[in-house]
Amino acid sequence: MITNVTSFGRSGLYDWLIQRVSGVILAAYTFFMVAYLLCNDVTFESWSALHAMLPMKIFNMLAVIALGAHAWIGLWCVVTDYVTTRMMGAKATMIRVAVQMLSGLVMLVYIIWAIDIFWGVK
């Protein structure tokens, strides 16, 4: 039996809610960026000015955190359903935990990198 110890949320309901909320945030971010690119003559100066504004920095970070949460839950589901389903015992648990830890580390690095990029824009 797989427990919620390595899950992002506390239960399936929290994971489901985080997945839906993060999906809405990512959809809003995507629609905004597509609309901005289609409706404006984008130059380096206009792009820099857009991302230098505080509301856009917050929106960028919200989108990056939503992407991390969305990916974490999605990867958790894939790993628990497909990577270790055919195996039994401690070896399956070790593989699952290792894959999840590696995924979490990669996502943490990406989030820290995004913070550096977005908040470094002047």
Side-chain angles (χ1 to χ4, degrees):
M1 180 173 141
I2 296 173
T3 63
N4 266 352
V5 172
T6 54
S7 174
F8 186 79
R10 289 183 280 185
S11 71
L13 177 62
Y14 289 109
D15 288 348
W16 181 88
L17 188 60
I18 290 169
Q19 195 79 357
R20 294 326 178 260
V21 170
S22 64
V24 169
I25 291 168
L26 292 171
Y29 186 80
T30 301
F31 289 138
F32 173 79
M33 293 306 274
V34 168
Y36 180 83
L37 293 172
L38 291 176
C39 297
N40 294 301
D41 183 30
V42 180
T43 62
F44 177 76
E45 290 78 22
S46 67
W47 189 253
S48 294
L50 171 68
H51 290 284
M53 294 187 302
L54 182 62
M56 192 62 201
K57 287 182 179 186
I58 293 170
F59 195 28
N60 283 332
M61 286 314 306
L62 191 61
V64 167
I65 292 168
L67 181 63
H70 199 86
W72 174 258
I73 294 169
L75 286 170
W76 181 83
C77 290
V78 168
V79 169
T80 55
D81 288 347
Y82 300 111
V83 173
T84 58
T85 351
R86 303 236 184 249
M87 295 184 254
M88 293 293 201
K91 185 175 183 178
T93 301
M94 288 173 37
I95 291 171
R96 180 175 52 83
V97 169
V99 169
Q100 287 176 305
M101 287 176 62
L102 181 64
S103 300
L105 180 64
V106 168
M107 282 184 269
L108 181 64
V109 168
Y110 284 156
I111 289 172
I112 291 170
W113 191 12
I115 290 170
D116 182 48
I117 291 170
F118 291 133
W119 292 95
V121 174
K122 305 232 186 293

